[in-house]
Amino acid sequence: MCTLEKRGNLFILTFTGEDQHRFNPNVIGSLLSLLSQVKAEATRGSALITQAQGKFFSNGFDLDWAQAAGSEQGAAERLHHMVDLFKPVIAALLSLPMPTVAAITGHAAAAGFVLALSHDYLIMRKDRGVLYMSEVDIALTIPDYFNALFREKIGDASVRRDFLLRGLKMKGDEAEKRGVVEAAYGGEAEVKQASVRLAENLGKRKWHGEVYAEIRKGLYPQLSAILGLTHKAYTIARL
Amino acid sequence: MCSLEKRGNLFILTLTGKNVEHRLNPEVLSSIISALSRAKAESTRGSALVTVSHGKFFCNGFDLDWVNATGSKQEAQQRFDYSLDCLTQLVQAFISLPMPTVAAVNGHAAAAGVVIPLCHDYVVMRRDRGVLYVNDLEMGLKIPELYMAFFRAKTSGWALRDLVLRGLKIKGEELLKMGIVDAVYDGEVGVTNAGMKMADDLARRKWDGEVYAEIRKGLYSEFCGMLGIASKAIGTPKL
């Protein structure tokens, strides 16, 4: 499912196994609990890397589990339930008191792409794997916090339109060129090494974790508000 | 502190601040605000303002010697807060100036000093020297909500993250790629002349200054909203 490992100052979260690493309530619960652990053990100099084994980073929500409800309404309810359960995971990442890197070692689609995009830095494979928002292709609307994430993280309106409205499957070199990811490398080993290097370099700055998290939340005010993270709405300057 | 010169249609504001780093304290900020008032009073259609500086620094932030020259930590905090309030008044003055504004950045701009070039409509910078450096994270300081809104008005996406969440000293070429500066030039004379030429070209459009300022305020709508700065509707088009 997912494991957490500590390597020096680095926390490494891994989706294990050769499957699609889809999110169902159990996986989501496990993710939440591991992120809590990371937060509890955080010190100055900490950094997080999220990575996966196999062909997929994550292919999103477990739609098989949703459909196993037996009816269309039941399936919709289960999907809705997962969308709600997943929100605190994104909230946890957005308020994590350390820099975060997503090592996108394979396909990242829908909620899987959203998870990757919730990190501060994205590193991707050039030779394999795509970023893909499948919702338009499978006739699902986009949850409000997914939308806010795309709006505030991806500055280029045509890129947002290509992902959300065009169902574009974007490979690593296009993602690097269009500024969706920090860098793309040829091969899983290179992606993992580059992610470790980046995370270590960020960790070496020994930033104050709480300050880091506050500044990060300030980059994404609409997303923070939707996730219930804003602690104050406005500050009126004392003149 | 600063000087204001009129050359044809062009107002030339030269920043000297306190010492070679052109640091800002309430006295300096006050004198710049006065200079902007004078420019506003003498403005006509076809006016423009260019802000220049000479030497290694454009502006290295608040005068921390003044901030810390008190008896207690509490008083130092008060002086810092007061400096920030004065800076906010200066930003308001720039944002409501009824003419196009260009900053010609000849050298380093750091901390509060970054805000000054960014509250101009256009920024030209030296390619061969000088960095923009938002150092709050490095200093363990949260960026005030108001100034997060200011930065969000200037840039978005990964560029915004790189500006405030990465402790980077960013050179002109990189800032150009990020879309934060408009052009880069070699040498102090090069960038200063380019800044003046740009201001001249903008002045030739002979825009209605009041309308120009109102439209500009709309680009900073979140920032202005937090300060309670109202907008005016001007509805008599010149056809």
Side-chain angles (χ1 to χ4, degrees), chain A residues 21-142:
Chain A
H21 309 134
R22 284 190 179 259
F23 306 138
N24 59 36
N26 286 340
V27 175
I28 294 171
S30 168
L31 256 177
L32 259 178
S33 138
L34 291 178
L35 287 172
S36 282
Q37 203 182 319
V38 171
K39 183 175 181 177
E41 295 176 28
T43 58
R44 275 201 189 224
S46 295
L48 171 82
I49 300 176
T50 302
Q51 61 180 29
Q53 291 170 348
K55 204 171 147 188
F56 292 88
F57 179 80
S58 165
N59 229 19
F61 291 129
D62 188 346
L63 299 179
D64 287 346
W65 177 78
Q67 278 169 347
S71 69
E72 216 174 85
Q73 187 180 342
E77 277 167 14
R78 282 194 173 187
L79 181 59
H80 194 82
H81 183 51
M82 286 190 286
V83 169
D84 282 346
L85 282 180
F86 193 58
K87 217 163 150 176
V89 172
I90 305 306
L93 277 170
L94 215 74
S95 32
L96 209 67
M98 66 185 72
T100 58
V101 180
I104 304 168
T105 44
H107 302 301
F113 182 8
V114 167
L115 184 76
L117 195 56
S118 304
H119 289 67
D120 298 324
Y121 300 88
L122 276 59
I123 310 264
M124 188 171 169
R125 274 179 84 155
K126 203 180 279 191
D127 58 324
R128 223 193 230 195
V130 294
L131 300 174
Y132 174 43
M133 288 305 278
S134 50
E135 284 82 349
V136 66
D137 286 338
I138 57 178
L140 287 177
T141 53
I142 310 274

Side-chain angles (χ1 to χ4, degrees), chain B residues 28-73:
Chain B
V28 171
L29 290 161
S30 230
S31 86
I32 305 173
I33 293 172
S34 291
L36 291 180
S37 289
R38 281 200 318 274
K40 182 175 183 177
E42 296 173 32
S43 69
T44 59
R45 267 196 197 240
S47 294
L49 176 104
V50 60
T51 301
V52 305
S53 179
H54 302 296
K56 195 172 162 191
F57 293 90
F58 182 83
C59 176
N60 224 22
F62 288 140
D63 180 358
L64 297 178
D65 288 342
W66 178 78
V67 167
N68 290 318
T70 65
S72 69
K73 217 167 154 182

Side-chain angles (χ1 to χ4, degrees), chain A residues 168-234:
Chain A
L168 179 68
K169 291 176 183 174
M170 192 183 285
K171 287 186 180 167
D173 42 21
E174 187 181 352
E176 187 183 46
K177 197 162 61 171
R178 295 178 82 181
V180 180
V181 303
E182 182 79 8
Y185 295 89
E188 183 181 311
E190 282 95 321
V191 166
K192 285 181 168 164
Q193 279 159 26
S195 302
V196 167
R197 259 195 327 267
L198 177 59
E200 278 177 347
N201 284 335
L202 294 165
K204 251 178 237 160
R205 308 298 292 275
K206 296 218 182 299
W207 289 317
H208 190 292
E210 201 199 312
V211 171
Y212 188 85
E214 285 303 306
I215 296 177
R216 184 207 279 123
K217 282 187 277 182
L219 298 177
Y220 315 115
Q222 286 174 20
L223 178 63
S224 299
I226 292 173
L227 295 173
L229 290 177
T230 320
H231 52 282
K232 49 181 188 254
Y234 288 125

Side-chain angles (χ1 to χ4, degrees), chain A residues 44 117 119-122 152-156 179-182 198 202 205 207-208 210-221 230-239, chain B residues 78 81-82 84-86 88-89 92 133 136-146 148-149 152 156-162 164-169 222 225-228:
Chain A
R44 275 201 189 224
L117 195 56
H119 289 67
D120 298 324
Y121 300 88
L122 276 59
E152 291 188 314
K153 283 247 178 177
I154 295 182
D156 188 328
V180 180
V181 303
E182 182 79 8
L198 177 59
L202 294 165
R205 308 298 292 275
W207 289 317
H208 190 292
E210 201 199 312
V211 171
Y212 188 85
E214 285 303 306
I215 296 177
R216 184 207 279 123
K217 282 187 277 182
L219 298 177
Y220 315 115
T230 320
H231 52 282
K232 49 181 188 254
Y234 288 125
T235 307
I236 308 296
R238 286 161 285 119
L239 293 166
Chain B
Q78 279 168 9
D81 290 346
Y82 183 51
L84 192 60
D85 286 347
C86 292
T88 303
Q89 286 189 316
Q92 283 181 250
Y133 179 35
D136 300 64
L137 179 59
E138 291 290 294
M139 304 287 291
L141 294 173
K142 296 177 195 178
I143 297 176
E145 196 95 359
L146 183 64
M148 282 309 301
R152 288 195 299 264
S156 61
W158 300 127
L160 176 60
R161 175 207 62 195
D162 283 353
V164 306
L165 198 64
R166 207 165 177 173
L168 290 177
K169 294 177 180 168
E222 204 190 347
M226 287 184 186
L227 288 173

